[in-house]
Amino acid sequence: MAAIAKKDIKKVVLAYSGGLDTSIIIPWLKENYNNCEVIAVCGDVGQGTELDGLEEKAIATGASKLYIMDLNEEFITDYIYPTMQAGAVYEGEYLLGTSFARPIIAKHMVDIALKEGADAICHGCTGKGNDQVRFELSIKAFAPQLAIIAPWREWDIKSREEEIEYAEAHNIPLKINRETNYSKDKNLWHLSHEGLDLEDPANEPQYNKPGFLEMSVSHEQAPDTPTYITLAFEKGVPVSVDGNELAPIEMMAYLNKVGGENAIGLCDLVENRLVGMKSRGVYETPGGTILYRAHEVLETLCLDRETQHYKQMIGLKYADLVYFGQWFTPLREALDGFVKETQKTVTGEVKLKLYKGNMINAGVTSPYSLYSEEIATFDEDDVYDQKDSAGFINLFGLPISVRAEMMKKHQ
């Protein structure tokens, strides 16, 4: 927290979703920060119906106003696509749906805080989670002078059960109850589920339980016949599906629909949080999983071996940066420069067969293809002299041969 006394905080900008945490934070701030003015800010990154009635609720619980910022297209083009192009996947499975949604929201919150002359920014992230880091590092990148209030690090509330009790005592309406109190995060890229029975990794996720899955169906409920889909990319950016050009928001909506119908992108993961503990979450990322797979397949055709292999290492580091909240850093920007250069020839079409959670390659073409059937063929050819490989192997294996001779002398 910046060096500012509690009594001097008169105006606070709150990251507001209307969920359990942020709903009770508004009255808590007014109770504990001298009845300060609370300005609620919601970044629309595809929460859908979760935004319905949000302004009325914010005002009714004590906010002076609510900003709803439409960040959907910027979210896709400036955060999702660069991460996908980098091939960034955290711990082999997590496609970073919550991770890269936080920096864009925090960045725009800072803009509003400066415009409103606020003294502090408040978020509802817990002291156990990653999001507190993502929000606060992003805030520090643009306005390190602003104080940051994190109620979970201050108040006496210890659990979501106590949060519900606080809400009930303050007549704050909630869309959840004690039986369906999963901690969820939704945007146009994914939906995460944590808590309740999922806290025990021994418990199988209740995919077939009505109301659990929202973007997808379970594997058993997916069609018994496959769905084919063809994605076209230009310089690493998806531009059309099945020949139909789609804008970024339309693209995500369509891929989420077709992916969800085929149970694509269901992920049950125990991950290592930045703060040191392991956590278990279930993720739905139908459209994003299709995009990642199609893009990866196209790169196998368009990137040379050394670039492709080095880029895979870059993807691991890029994923760590995004997951750890280090989006607005020189290293992430520098890695973007490398990735952007690699995408100049990532143009072409990828056909996938979707079937009960599986994505099966069904063909890939590119005008920049580095695959030569003439060279790779098992049939007779006139372009590759197989005798050349003997000299190559002798030179490539020279260090191995030298070491073997040395070892013989010391036996």
Side-chain angles (χ1 to χ4, degrees), residues 252-274:
M252 283 309 310
Y254 180 79
L255 292 179
N256 279 332
K257 178 179 181 297
V258 69
E261 290 170 348
N262 288 276
I264 303 297
L266 294 178
C267 173
D268 177 7
L269 175 65
V270 174
E271 67 197 59
N272 289 294
R273 285 183 176 173
L274 171 60

Side-chain angles (χ1 to χ4, degrees), residues 145-191:
Q145 75 278 11
L146 285 174
I148 298 174
I149 301 173
W152 271 102
R153 302 202 293 253
E154 296 185 32
W155 61 21
D156 295 327
I157 297 173
K158 302 299 183 184
S159 66
R160 289 177 68 80
E161 178 71 21
E162 291 184 10
E163 284 187 287
I164 293 175
E165 292 174 358
Y166 184 96
E168 291 173 344
H170 290 74
N171 298 313
I172 299 172
L174 299 174
K175 295 182 179 180
I176 63 173
N177 55 51
R178 287 173 171 78
E179 289 70 39
T180 61
N181 188 20
Y182 287 105
S183 176
K184 296 188 178 187
D185 178 74
K186 183 179 182 180
N187 57 46
L188 53 77
W189 183 251
H190 89 155
L191 174 65

Side-chain angles (χ1 to χ4, degrees), residues 6-21:
K6 202 174 200 181
K7 63 181 178 60
D8 294 327
I9 293 178
K10 309 298 183 184
K11 185 182 292 189
V12 178
V13 166
L14 167 67
Y16 184 74
S17 68
L20 177 58
D21 294 332

Side-chain angles (χ1 to χ4, degrees), residues 330-361:
L331 178 55
R332 201 275 307 167
E333 293 174 0
L335 294 183
D336 264 353
F338 169 81
V339 172
K340 186 176 181 180
E341 181 68 22
T342 69
Q343 299 303 291
K344 287 182 176 180
T345 59
V346 183
T347 295
E349 292 189 348
V350 180
K351 188 176 184 179
L352 297 174
K353 179 165 69 172
L354 312 180
Y355 182 67
K356 291 187 178 295
N358 297 291
M359 293 179 294
I360 303 163
N361 296 352

Side-chain angles (χ1 to χ4, degrees), residues 134 137 317 320-330 332:
R134 296 164 184 156
L137 292 189
K317 184 60 179 179
D320 282 350
L321 292 174
V322 177
Y323 190 86
F324 297 160
Q326 296 171 302
W327 184 272
F328 299 112
T329 58
R332 201 275 307 167

